[in-house]
Amino acid sequence: MGRFAIGRIVHGVVVVFCVAIVVFATSRLVGDPVGVILPFEATHEQRAALRHQLGFDRPILEQFGEYITNLARGDFGTSLLQDRPTISIVLEHLPATFELVFAGIALAILIAVPLGVVAAVRPGSLVDRMSVSLSLLGLSVPEFFLGILLILFFAVELGVLPASGKGGIEHLILPALTLALPAVGRLTMIARSSMIDQLGQAYVQTAKAKGIPRWRVVGIHALRNALIPVLTLSGWELMRALAGYAVTVETVFAWPGVGYLAFQAVREQDVFLVQTIVLVVAVLVVFVNVGIDILYRVVDPRIKLG
Amino acid sequence: MRRHTMAAISAVVVATVASAALSAASAADATSTSTHATAESITIAIGGEPSTLDPLVRDDGNQRAVTQNVFDTLLGRTPNGSRLYPKLASHHPRRVSRSAWRFKLRPGIRFSNGTPFNADSVVATVRHLLEPKVVTEQASWLGTIKGAKKVNDLTVDILTKGADPIFPSRMSYMRIMPADWKSLPDFANRPVGTGPYVFSEWARGDHITLTANPDYWGKPKPSIRTVTFKFVPEGSTQLAGLVAGNFDLITNLIPENAKRAPKVLSVPSTEHPKFVLNARPGSQVTADVRVRQAMNYAIDKKAIASKLFLGYATVDAGQVLSPSVFGFDKATKAYPHNVARAKQLIEEAGATGKTVNVVGTSGRWLKDRELIEVVTQSWRAIGLEVDVKIYDFREFVSRLVDPKRRPDAIFISSSTDLYDADQQLTMYYAPSGIASSNADQRLKQWIDKARSELNENKRANLYHLAIRRARQQAYFTWLVNFSTLWGMDENLRWQPRSDGYIFVNTMRFVG
């Protein structure tokens, strides 16, 4: 078990290191960062001066070496935009993203599981067909577009929810829903098929034969087993939201999380801030995955490192 | 320069779907706005979070939107941009030598922390400006300033590197900081100025709040007590928030959405999109003046203004300058739209079927991609082949500033924030300019000479010479000058400015 855990952790560190290389390379090789920090009017001399001041004129390997040594010391660099340590800016925005992403995925599970179970219990029924259509819709509409539609309906037409920003719980509803709906699509499908699978198992037949009420058989016995793949997929949805969807959803709703910060940092070409955002998100994703792998092993010792 | 990122695309996509919802909403709007329309507070949506609230350290429009209300400048500018007037200075500055300007300062003014405003404040501000990091970022605005010297408590000299005729204009930009700013806690995040509003709160990622300065020395006195700047990058979210009554003023409105806002005001900006044509000697097709002229004749600028910008633009008078800018030449006119003439010139130059390489970027300026498409289509129509490359902004800038990789035509948009021809002409017209694509030494002579010419008439004449020659040589394809659109609450009364500055003390609510 110890060896398994260490193996996964080493693997995680390697992935993060690779991410660091890729982020560093893309931020240096795609155009000149100084070009966009300074106004167009800046002269070649001023550009050269700033390039020197930021160290961009040194050999790329030397820059990379310094970047890695600084990282090892916990120094993620200073934001060009805000002149503050990038890591503190990212950590400031992280709670808002967690709040949004957890709320979104929790909402998705709360909608998807009952829907999937009902659909599985009555395959071919109206509810089943509706759940399939809804899932497809959730999967097909880009969250960016969905977000704006939700704003138009709930904030503009009905006027019941705020259009953007962060505040009380009412501010959370629309962005969380936007994040949840695509996940609802996938989770419903998984919940449905996994439930159908369980309902065909021998233990369900036995339970039924023993005269246990149908709601108990479905809602307790089968559901517990059917939930395992749903939870696995939820973890994946969580990571996917954190590492991707948050950018669009937070930007559309002006939600002050890491995704919104990433959008601004990219737009303003704050290279060091972009580097730190990607790295922090990568670390989160990698280590949550490592954690899940280790947990699986605890649950089921047959799982091998591979 | 305004940035229109995803906003433009998204808003257009959604516009059709939204129209039904929005028209239904206009009834609800009347009730929702009334709750907001008090003199107590205003909520303004700006395109992003300021990087800092230090008024000098970064060239950042979001920062300016906020700090303009907290700080004052020595000189002010009238809303249409045509004239400067004394603000913190009691009179217009007087030139005491070729490179020194003397300011008399208004007595009895205090910063919101009680520190008096005097010559020391100006000296401390200039010193801050001269720190290496600051001076580079602000080069285009304040790069000619060399130092400041206190004469007495209310008199100060500001020194420039050589003669600088547009120096007074720069003083409508330099926001004055208190002499003791370095000892104030966290000044870049909790600024202190002499302006009509006082900093109150910065909720990171969400908003900044200012409150009216009860002791404001100037006029008009602020009539709205609290100002909240919300950071909303998405244009359609800004519009939805305006219609829903969450915002009272939005800054990212595109022409397509103008009729959906409760109220819209538009003001001609100084922003001019254009193509810089590569006229340097060489084998490229644009080295021939006839081809460059043809590329101008080919474009229907009026149609661009009325169809693409829905009337929120006017035809550029062949000079990348707006009429309110010093140096604007009334005698220079746009190239007329004349396809037959264009085709004839292309034929004469033997350029039919030759390829023009075009470089542009997308999502940076209002309708940049659309303009590139419309214009290159016109070039194809006169017999040229066109190869368009759209790059990420960073790669775009790298190509822009690299003379070795200069394309035949590069699309770019810029504004004349100091209301003087110097900025644009130095950068685009003079062959030494960072974004210039010609080798015309006469242009350089005139523009350099104008830079140190202190006689206003002579200086304007030098610019006129340069403008006329560049127009005749067709170093650019001039397009349009577009307007800035502001969406606002019906009860808000405000005269927007051509420089896009948001002075909240000039706003008031009625009803």
Side-chain angles (χ1 to χ4, degrees):
Chain A
M1 179 64 213
R3 257 189 73 201
F4 175 83
I6 290 167
R8 294 314 288 167
I9 291 169
V10 170
H11 188 243
V13 172
V14 172
V15 171
V16 170
F17 186 74
C18 292
V19 170
I21 295 178
V22 172
V23 172
F24 181 85
T26 42
S27 63
R28 295 302 190 289
L29 300 179
V30 184
D32 177 6
V34 167
V36 285
I37 298 167
L38 289 180
F40 286 155
E41 294 87 345
T43 61
H44 289 295
E45 295 75 44
Q46 285 162 341
R47 282 167 204 277
L50 186 64
R51 205 170 287 128
H52 181 70
Q53 192 184 322
L54 297 173
F56 290 140
D57 56 347
R58 290 178 302 153
I60 193 91
L61 281 179
E62 193 185 318
Q63 289 184 49
F64 184 67
E66 192 190 300
Y67 174 60
I68 295 294
T69 12
N70 284 345
L71 277 186
R73 277 183 287 151
D75 175 5
F76 286 73
T78 305
S79 158
L80 297 172
L81 269 170
Q82 303 190 13
D83 204 18
R84 298 192 294 147
T86 51
I87 189 71
S88 52
I89 301 174
V90 175
L91 294 181
E92 240 168 50
H93 285 75
L94 213 49
T97 296
F98 283 149
E99 191 182 324
L100 174 61
V101 167
F102 284 118
I105 300 305
L107 196 63
I109 296 172
L110 286 179
I111 300 172
V113 171
L115 205 61
V117 168
V118 174
V121 172
R122 298 191 192 287
S125 68
L126 185 69
V127 176
D128 185 23
R129 275 176 286 156
M130 269 176 57
S131 80
V132 174
S133 319
L134 273 176
S135 305
L136 280 176
L137 194 71
L139 286 172
S140 333
V141 180
E143 58 276 7
F144 159 64
F145 187 69
L146 182 68
I148 292 172
L149 287 185
L150 290 177
I151 292 176
L152 287 174
F153 189 68
F154 289 102
V156 176
E157 191 170 4
L158 301 182
V160 289
L161 290 169
S164 66
K166 190 169 181 295
I169 187 91
E170 69 277 11
H171 284 86
L172 182 61
I173 297 173
L174 289 184
L177 198 60
T178 310
L179 205 65
L181 286 180
V184 165
R186 281 182 290 267
L187 289 173
T188 308
M189 300 311 284
I190 284 288
R192 178 180 176 276
S193 62
S194 157
M195 195 62 179
I196 289 176
D197 198 32
Q198 291 302 324
L199 290 178
Q201 297 284 327
Y203 75 89
V204 172
Q205 304 304 326
T206 314
K208 275 190 197 162
K210 278 169 71 183
I212 298 174
R214 187 176 157 83
W215 68 268
R216 266 190 80 95
V217 176
V218 175
I220 310 255
H221 297 263
L223 184 63
R224 265 176 64 178
N225 289 317
L227 273 185
I228 295 171
V230 173
L231 290 180
T232 310
L233 185 67
S234 303
W236 179 81
E237 289 288 354
L238 199 68
M239 291 302 116
R240 194 173 158 132
L242 191 66
Y245 294 152
V247 176
T248 7
V249 176
E250 288 180 3
T251 305
V252 169
F253 288 95
W255 182 265
V258 174
Y260 168 87
L261 183 69
F263 177 76
Q264 276 220 336
V266 169
R267 197 171 59 164
E268 303 289 337
Q269 302 283 342
D270 189 338
V271 219
F272 301 129
L273 187 53
V274 173
Q275 266 173 203
T276 307
I277 294 170
V278 176
L279 210 61
V280 167
V281 172
V283 167
L284 281 174
V285 170
V286 166
F287 282 90
V288 170
N289 277 326
V290 169
I292 289 173
D293 283 355
I294 294 172
L295 277 180
Y296 274 157
R297 171 77 179 226
V298 172
V299 174
D300 185 351
R302 287 171 300 176
I303 292 170
K304 295 266 188 316
L305 172 67
Chain B
M1 273 169 278
R2 204 163 284 276
R3 283 158 202 186
H4 295 262
T5 48
M6 290 181 349
I9 316 157
S10 64
V12 174
V13 173
V14 168
T16 30
V17 187
S19 53
L22 285 170
S23 57
S26 53
D29 177 43
T31 48
S32 57
T33 48
S34 62
T35 55
H36 243 275
T38 64
E40 285 301 305
S41 69
I42 185 169
T43 305
I44 301 172
I46 55 176
E49 180 162 18
S51 44
T52 166
L53 291 181
D54 181 318
L56 289 179
V57 81
R58 284 211 83 229
D59 182 17
D60 163 11
N62 295 316
Q63 170 264 108
R64 280 204 292 275
V66 176
T67 57
Q68 272 147 6
N69 293 287
V70 175
F71 294 92
D72 280 313
T73 47
L74 289 174
L75 301 178
R77 187 180 283 288
T78 52
N80 67 0
S82 64
R83 208 169 48 77
L84 293 169
Y85 61 87
K87 211 168 173 182
L88 280 175
S90 57
H91 302 85
H92 274 285
R94 189 164 60 84
R95 218 171 32 240
V96 286
S97 80
R98 223 180 129 66
S99 56
W101 297 75
R102 177 157 299 173
F103 285 91
K104 292 263 180 221
L105 306 178
R106 225 176 264 275
I109 297 174
R110 285 182 179 277
F111 286 86
S112 59
N113 67 342
T115 311
F117 161 73
N118 52 30
D120 293 326
S121 332
V122 179
V123 172
T125 303
V126 169
R127 245 183 228 151
H128 179 38
L129 176 70
L130 294 175
E131 289 169 30
K133 193 174 160 199
V134 185
V135 82
T136 345
E137 274 249 353
Q138 303 288 7
S140 61
W141 297 93
L142 303 165
T144 58
I145 294 172
K146 204 173 78 181
K149 223 166 56 199
K150 176 178 176 176
V151 177
N152 61 42
D153 230 24
L154 290 176
T155 312
V156 65
D157 286 349
I158 298 183
L159 316 172
T160 59
K161 301 166 186 161
D164 179 15
I166 52 172
F167 173 80
S169 200
R170 302 186 196 281
M171 291 300 104
S172 68
Y173 175 82
M174 190 175 78
R175 291 174 286 282
I176 304 295
M177 300 167 38
D180 57 347
W181 72 274
K182 276 200 168 152
S183 63
L184 299 176
D186 205 10
F187 185 81
N189 297 314
R190 309 189 57 80
V192 170
T194 57
Y197 284 89
V198 181
F199 173 83
S200 159
E201 187 208 5
W202 186 344
R204 289 275 171 188
D206 195 61
H207 68 266
I208 287 175
T209 311
L210 310 178
T211 48
N213 177 357
D215 307 317
Y216 183 51
W217 63 273
K219 277 183 188 145
K221 306 270 183 223
S223 78
I224 300 167
R225 200 178 312 160
T226 313
V227 191
T228 306
F229 289 95
K230 282 280 218 178
F231 322 137
V232 187
E234 234 325 289
S236 23
T237 312
Q238 284 199 0
L239 178 65
L242 176 70
V243 177
N246 303 145
F247 308 137
D248 302 300
L249 177 67
I250 62 170
T251 52
N252 257 357
L253 190 62
I254 61 168
E256 280 75 5
N257 286 338
K259 51 180 182 296
R260 298 193 170 83
K263 176 175 162 185
V264 173
L265 290 181
S266 76
V267 178
S269 67
T270 59
E271 185 93 22
H272 289 249
K274 61 203 151 271
F275 286 84
V276 186
L277 304 181
N278 188 354
R280 293 190 180 136
S283 55
Q284 77 280 15
V285 62
T286 49
D288 189 320
V289 61
R290 290 168 297 184
V291 174
R292 299 196 301 268
Q293 288 171 340
M295 288 165 88
N296 274 289
Y297 284 122
I299 303 165
D300 188 351
K301 276 115 2 203
K302 277 189 192 144
I304 290 178
S306 63
K307 303 265 166 54
L308 194 56
F309 289 92
L310 305 178
Y312 291 106
T314 51
V315 174
D316 178 329
Q319 51 190 310
V320 308
L321 302 177
S322 298
S324 56
V325 170
F326 179 86
F328 176 83
D329 181 27
K330 279 189 193 138
T332 297
K333 301 275 182 250
Y335 272 85
H337 178 221
N338 188 340
V339 177
R341 176 94 182 105
K343 280 183 176 164
Q344 188 195 347
L345 283 165
I346 291 290
E347 232 160 80
E348 278 173 29
T352 312
K354 291 208 174 147
T355 304
V356 178
N357 298 305
V358 178
V359 163
T361 186
S362 181
R364 181 77 186 184
W365 298 290
L366 183 60
K367 295 183 185 284
D368 43 16
R369 186 80 187 241
E370 291 92 327
L371 269 173
I372 294 171
E373 273 166 23
V374 168
V375 170
T376 50
Q377 203 47 47
S378 318
W379 291 343
R380 287 193 184 99
I382 58 167
L384 292 168
E385 291 290 319
V386 185
D387 179 23
V388 183
K389 295 261 188 310
I390 302 289
Y391 291 109
D392 157 73
F393 188 64
R394 211 156 100 186
E395 181 59 21
F396 168 79
V397 174
S398 297
R399 283 167 188 268
L400 175 75
V401 301
D402 179 1
K404 286 190 219 84
R405 283 198 292 174
R406 190 45 57 107
D408 301 336
I410 189 160
F411 174 83
I412 190 165
S413 185
S414 60
S415 54
T416 317
D417 307 292
L418 290 173
Y419 289 85
D420 193 287
D422 175 72
Q423 232 179 354
Q424 296 292 309
L425 266 53
T426 305
M427 184 174 163
Y428 294 99
Y429 279 55
S432 50
I434 196 114
S436 147
S437 277
N438 68 70
D440 196 328
Q441 289 310 313
R442 286 165 75 184
L443 285 187
K444 182 168 167 52
Q445 277 166 19
W446 290 324
I447 294 164
D448 281 354
K449 200 167 166 210
R451 190 148 243 215
S452 53
E453 176 59 65
L454 294 169
N455 179 304
E456 298 275 275
N457 285 335
K458 283 188 189 159
R459 197 159 77 86
N461 281 335
L462 287 165
Y463 288 143
H464 295 166
L465 286 173
I467 286 167
R468 285 167 202 171
R469 172 145 178 96
R471 197 265 184 202
Q472 188 266 327
Q473 288 292 316
Y475 291 138
F476 304 85
T477 49
W478 295 271
L479 302 170
V480 291
N481 166 212
F482 50 75
S483 297
T484 312
L485 272 69
W486 304 85
M488 57 182 87
D489 186 290
E490 278 168 305
N491 295 320
L492 182 62
R493 295 290 174 271
W494 181 49
Q495 174 54 54
R497 303 165 53 89
S498 62
D499 52 19
Y501 289 5
I502 305 168
F503 290 121
V504 183
N505 63 323
T506 62
M507 296 177 189
R508 67 193 167 85
F509 281 109
V510 294

